[in-house]
Amino acid sequence: MRVQTVRNIVTGTAFAAMASGLGGSAAFANELTGFAMMPANTFAEGPTSGQFAGAGAGANALPLLNKQPVQGISAVLAGPTDDSFYVMPDNGFGAKTNSADALLRIYALKPDFTVWTRRGLRGSGTVAPVSFRSGRELTSFSADSFISLSDPNRRLGFTLVSDMATYPNGDNTIPVDPSIRANHLLTGSDFDIESVRLDSRGHFWFGEEFGPFLVETDARGKVLRSEVHLPNVVLPGSTTTGTEVMSPQNPYLGSLTPNLRGSNGFEGMAVSPSGRYLYPLLEGTVTGDDAINGTVFKNLRISKFDTKTKSYTGETWLYELEADGTNIGDMTAINDHQFLVIERNGVTATSTSGTPFKKIFVADLTGVPSGGFAHKTELVDLMNISDPHDLNGDGQTVFTFPYVTIESVLILEPSTLLVINDNNYPGTGGRDTNSDHTEFLKIRLDQRLDVARDCHGEDDDGDHEGHDR
């Protein structure tokens, strides 16, 4: 495994002394400096949802009449004000077959973090909705707090839920909500969006898992062009076949054989400092890529996409999961050659076997040619964070983050990260048997990341091979 020491990715010279003082545990030197929680039962206005997702869990019944859950956060961006954020839920209830009534949205919100000051704990630890445009605090997740993805000009190339008279889930007899049809709203049976970035023109780009596809919208969520398919680049040593990477849920699959497992598409996606290039990261291994190094479901592709030409460049790298890692959760750029990647397994605090593995790594493409493996460095062990002031109130001075899925990381400052879990509403078992809440963490790193201070310009070529820092 290509794992380096923290010293390779941070500035400063204090690492050795710090690690020695903590028994060699660099991860434990990272400290929880802010905590907020959004209850599982947080809802927004909208059509009835969860009609096809079973009876519910954690004492929370489905369906949800005339409302949408603000849940399953899978991506985060800076919000309309310095203390607010845009968060993107995924497809709703986890599958194409149960999420036709879940709308695809981005919400604006503001955590009031509990923090430690010289006067003690401050901040309510709550999360409030805010206006999507201005950041003004709202009393509820009303229409002013979100944008909904839509395709009013029918740019997408396949049949959508909004084109149908009845939902394509369950027994196909429940009429599609009139608001979905009238506004051509996109749902969780159209796409499973898992990542989002803003390009240099202020357009949203979504990475999703059913294709896997990239989808471009304007600032209000309106689709601008047909979905972008992922070409199947044959990497050195791979035995992969097929001209395109396709999952079992790909609407164009037909009689073809999928070469990517379901729910293994673009879980993470970074954008270059210039805003021109996207780096989507698959959550699973393309069939045939195991042959590159003899591993099993460990090699994940990082592709490069040019938002100016609307095409993939052909450059492709590999991210190799750790022995205990089974999935990635997010990917965000530090600069033009280093990226944060959340890596995890499916074990939680309530699992009857196994140990939760939840970490953040730095993936470095410096000097790595197309087809090569990113260099990895462990940065944060999310199961071992110093919490000397017990910000979450659990009576412990070591904070753990044992949720199944942790899918959002944002750099707030060179030494501070925001990390958010995906609570898979109404799923249970992250910390206890109740429906999981959504937790917002501020984590202060023991060293500063080499964060890009400015953009390289629209025409930055983002070359990695042979790049010296």
Side-chain angles (χ1 to χ4, degrees):
M1 181 61 61
R2 301 157 178 79
V3 179
Q4 307 171 359
T5 65
V6 175
R7 191 180 292 120
N8 290 332
I9 63 157
V10 296
T11 59
T13 58
F15 171 79
M18 175 275 299
S20 174
L22 291 170
S25 175
F28 190 77
N30 300 310
E31 182 180 329
L32 185 71
T33 57
F35 179 85
M37 186 268 288
M38 185 168 69
N41 289 323
T42 299
F43 306 107
E45 64 179 58
T48 295
S49 59
Q51 298 170 91
F52 314 104
N60 294 309
L62 297 176
L64 306 171
L65 298 179
N66 300 315
K67 56 188 175 183
Q68 297 275 312
V70 183
Q71 62 84 47
I73 293 175
S74 294
V76 60
L77 300 172
T81 58
D82 288 343
D83 55 356
S84 66
F85 304 98
Y86 293 127
V87 296
M88 184 203 75
D90 54 22
N91 81 317
F93 299 98
K96 190 182 185 80
T97 55
N98 68 5
S99 298
D101 57 5
L103 299 184
L104 304 186
R105 289 174 168 174
I106 300 178
Y107 292 93
L109 49 74
K110 182 175 71 174
D112 179 24
F113 288 102
T114 297
V115 299
W116 176 259
T117 71
R118 292 180 178 179
R119 297 183 178 182
L121 293 176
R122 293 290 185 271
S124 65
T126 59
V127 178
V130 299
S131 167
F132 198 90
R133 302 301 170 192
S134 70
R136 174 178 55 86
E137 192 164 328
L138 305 172
T139 57
S140 66
F141 281 99
S142 61
D144 194 28
S145 70
F146 59 81
I147 61 169
S148 295
L149 276 62
S150 65
D151 188 18
N153 298 321
R154 289 305 281 110
R155 305 294 191 191
L156 299 170
F158 57 93
T159 302
L160 305 174
V161 170
S162 63
D163 299 324
M164 305 176 188
T166 59
Y167 288 115
N169 292 171
D171 60 7
N172 293 13
T173 60
I174 298 179
V176 174
D177 189 272
S179 67
I180 295 177
R181 299 194 66 189
N183 297 296
H184 303 280
L185 301 178
L186 298 183
T187 78
S189 283
D190 300 320
F191 293 118
D192 183 4
I193 53 175
E194 296 286 351
S195 49
V196 64
R197 295 294 170 195
L198 279 168
D199 68 14
S200 57
R201 294 161 302 165
H203 291 176
F204 289 112
W205 285 87
F206 297 85
E208 73 88 48
E209 295 204 303
F210 290 158
F213 301 125
L214 296 179
V215 181
E216 182 184 10
T217 77
D218 66 12
R220 297 184 179 274
K222 182 179 72 174
V223 173
L224 296 177
R225 64 191 72 253
S226 185
E227 69 284 348
V228 182
H229 299 234
L230 176 62
N232 189 14
V233 177
V234 181
L235 302 176
S238 177
T239 59
T240 190
T241 59
T243 60
E244 182 181 328
V245 176
M246 304 181 81
S247 84
Q249 291 79 32
N250 189 301
Y252 301 95
L253 185 65
S255 61
L256 298 176
T257 300
N259 50 16
L260 183 71
R261 292 179 296 168
S263 193
N264 273 196
F266 293 139
E267 186 69 46
M269 182 169 65
V271 64
S272 66
S274 70
R276 176 171 176 178
Y277 295 103
L278 300 174
Y279 295 86
L281 171 59
L282 293 174
E283 188 176 12
T285 301
V286 174
T287 302
D289 283 2
D290 286 342
I292 295 172
N293 57 0
T295 57
V296 179
F297 299 141
K298 293 293 185 182
N299 299 333
L300 313 183
R301 292 188 183 188
I302 303 171
S303 302
K304 184 177 181 180
F305 181 83
D306 188 341
T307 64
K308 186 175 181 180
T309 64
K310 317 296 184 188
S311 61
Y312 283 95
T313 67
E315 295 169 279
T316 306
W317 300 270
L318 291 164
Y319 178 95
E320 185 179 349
L321 294 170
E322 300 293 298
D324 293 328
T326 59
N327 304 77
I328 64 96
D330 195 13
M331 178 177 178
T332 193
I334 301 172
N335 47 51
D336 66 355
H337 55 279
Q338 293 179 315
F339 308 88
L340 298 179
V341 178
I342 300 175
E343 188 173 332
R344 65 169 182 84
N345 62 12
V347 182
T348 71
T350 64
S351 297
T352 57
S353 62
T355 301
F357 177 87
K358 323 286 177 180
K359 294 187 177 184
I360 300 175
F361 290 87
V362 170
D364 195 336
L365 297 181
T366 302
V368 180
S370 181
F373 284 86
H375 304 296
K376 291 178 62 178
T377 307
E378 182 180 332
L379 181 68
V380 181
D381 182 352
L382 294 170
M383 293 299 297
N384 190 23
I385 301 172
S386 176
D387 183 17
H389 307 295
D390 188 20
L391 298 186
N392 68 326
D394 66 353
Q396 305 296 318
T397 56
V398 176
F399 180 86
T400 63
F401 208 40
Y403 291 102
V404 174
T405 47
I406 302 165
E407 300 190 347
S408 299
V409 59
L410 180 69
I411 300 172
L412 301 180
E413 297 174 345
S415 60
T416 306
L417 304 181
L418 172 70
V419 181
I420 312 170
N421 66 299
D422 170 355
N423 70 338
N424 296 302
Y425 186 85
T428 65
R431 294 194 184 278
D432 52 41
T433 57
N434 299 309
S435 290
D436 294 334
H437 302 305
T438 302
E439 298 181 10
F440 294 71
L441 316 180
K442 276 188 178 181
I443 300 173
R444 185 177 65 209
L445 306 175
D446 67 271
Q447 297 286 308
R448 295 167 63 87
L449 297 172
D450 186 19
V451 176
R453 290 175 175 80
D454 50 36
C455 295
H456 297 282
E458 176 73 8
D459 294 320
D460 171 39
D461 63 8
D463 182 35
H464 304 287
E465 186 172 358
H467 182 81
D468 290 322
R469 296 189 297 136

